């Protein structure tokens, strides 16, 4: 089948809009027509060649939503016409990780996903006889993409796909980090570092969990308005307060926050987020993705004196089982997504979307195929 796709031929090059050939879905695979896809930082990190898993040429995109067009043999959990969100984290329900019920990290097809192929080791995308790799098992920058059945969340059919696509990564990561990986109690204080789609969603998670004080932190003053709209009670711009961010937070909360959520991927911010958690019980949840190989250091006494440092992957959400609930939360008005979408563009404008992201002008750009 022919498909329009944005191809990353090599690192640090503009994406190229091409007509590609998409092979039919194999056993246990599903052909999905993507309606819309968000453009996320992780796509840019890959494009810049900073992802240790980089393998070009590839089709980026991992924050999409669409409909099932064709099912390969053996597929029985989705059917033609179903609305679906591709998952970069599968949920096979059979591997030791899934069976443990202790993690949402299913590693059943991680190896082939990271090498840019389907689980059988081959690719479904071809450009003039050249095989094109998959990315994160999703490749939502192609109108038609092939995804393993175990990496598809079936969702209700009455949702706007060009909004819930953000549940494929950023929004779920932020909301879930608070609801699943932190322990926010009614009346608590929460600090959120970095107000992109992830951080703004973490603010919403804090509001849903009943936090009373929600401190939003960003070096971009333009983020204050939307942060307050989504539930922030305070805003800190580290560049203008004239004191350390951690001290400012301590002053606002009598010593530190019950929960801090880091959503920048910047090492110095991660360190601040740990320090900002209240001595004795505060928890820091790291969601930001560092550049490959980077490390952060903290004095051990910070955790010896009762702080907890945790990380969160896809908000701790098991995609196939739990994403439908997040779609419901959006449809019921509990989670705001529309306000996070600053730009609606066509797939042909994908390079502009990357420019908007790099310059800090966009919260999220959504690319449309239809
Ligand atoms: N202090 C405070 N805020 C910062 C700092 C800093 N030192 N550096 C950057 N920020 C802010 C930016 O101004 C921006 O508003 O963090 C925000 C990051 O938002 P996005 O770039 O839109 O990132 P997002 O998609 O929300 O993802 C957050 O997850 O995937 C990773 O690389 C991504 O680590 C990033 C994180
Ligand atoms: Zn599994």
């Amino acid at each position: 089948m022919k498909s329009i796709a944005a191809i990353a031929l090599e690192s640090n090059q503009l994406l190229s809009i091409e007509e590609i050939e998409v092979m039919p879905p194999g056993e246990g695979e599903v052909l999905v027509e993507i309606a819309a896809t968000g453009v996320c930082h992780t796509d840019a990190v890959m494009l810049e060649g900073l992802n240790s898993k980089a393998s070009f040429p590839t089709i980026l995109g991992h924050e999409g939503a669409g409909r099932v067009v064709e099912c390969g043999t053996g597929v029985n959990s989705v059917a033609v016409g179903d609305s679906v969100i591709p998952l970069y984290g599968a949920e096979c329900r059979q591997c030791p990780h899934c069976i443990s019920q202790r993690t949402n990290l299913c590693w059943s097809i991680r190896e082939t996903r990271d090498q840019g192929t389907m689980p059988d080791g081959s690719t479904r995308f071809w450009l003039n006889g050249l095989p094109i790799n998959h990315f994160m098992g999703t490749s939502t920058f192609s109108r038609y993409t092939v995804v393993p059945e175990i990496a598809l969340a079936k969702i209700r059919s009455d949702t706007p796909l060009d909004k819930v696509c953000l549940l494929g990564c950023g929004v779920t990561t932020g909301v879930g980090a608070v609801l699943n990986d932190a322990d926010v109690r009614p009346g608590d204080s929460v600090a959120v570092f970095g107000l992109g789609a992830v951080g703004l969603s973490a603010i919403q998670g804090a509001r849903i969990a009943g936090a009373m004080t929600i401190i939003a932190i960003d070096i971009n003053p333009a983020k204050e308005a939307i942060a307050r709209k989504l539930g922030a009670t305070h805003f800190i711009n580290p560049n203008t307060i004239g004191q350390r961010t951690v001290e400012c937070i301590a002053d606002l909360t009598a010593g530190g926050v019950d929960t801090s959520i880091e959503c920048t991927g910047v090492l110095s911010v991660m360190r601040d987020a740990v320090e900002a958690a209240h001595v004795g019980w505060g928890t820091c949840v790291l969601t930001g993705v560092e550049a490959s190989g980077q490390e952060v250091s903290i004095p051990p006494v910070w955790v010896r004196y009762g702080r907890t440092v945790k990380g969160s992957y896809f908000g701790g959400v098991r995609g196939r089982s739990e994403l439908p609930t997040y779609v419901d939360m959006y449809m019921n008005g509990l989670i705001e997504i529309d306000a996070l979408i600053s730009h609606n563009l066509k797939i042909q404008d994908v390079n502009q979307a990357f420019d908007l992201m790099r310059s800090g002008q966009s919260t999220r750009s959504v690319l449309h195929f239809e």
Side-chain angles (χ1 to χ4, degrees), residues 17 33 79-80 84 99 113 132 139 177 182-183 194 223 240 267 276 298 323 329 348:
I17 302 294
E33 180 178 11
V80 173
V84 288
I99 289 170
R113 178 198 67 184
I132 307 291
S139 291
D183 176 25
K223 302 283 185 171
T240 58
L267 300 189
I298 57 165
L323 214 48
M329 285 198 273
Q348 287 83 353

Side-chain angles (χ1 to χ4, degrees), residues 31-46:
L31 178 70
V32 175
E33 180 178 11
I34 299 295
T37 174
V39 180
C40 171
H41 239 91
T42 309
D43 299 307
V45 169
M46 172 70 177

Side-chain angles (χ1 to χ4, degrees), residues 41-42 194-199 217-220 223 238 263-266 269 287-289 363-364:
H41 239 91
T42 309
L195 307 175
V198 176
I217 301 127
D218 203 294
I219 50 178
N220 181 350
K223 302 283 185 171
C263 312
T264 69
V266 178
V269 176
T287 73
V289 180
T363 306
R364 259 309 192 258

Side-chain angles (χ1 to χ4, degrees), residues 90-99 104-109 150:
E91 183 187 344
C92 75
R93 299 170 175 162
Q94 289 173 355
C95 74
H97 283 207
C98 285
I99 289 170
N104 65 328
L105 282 171
C106 168
W107 279 9
S108 58
I109 55 172
I150 59 170

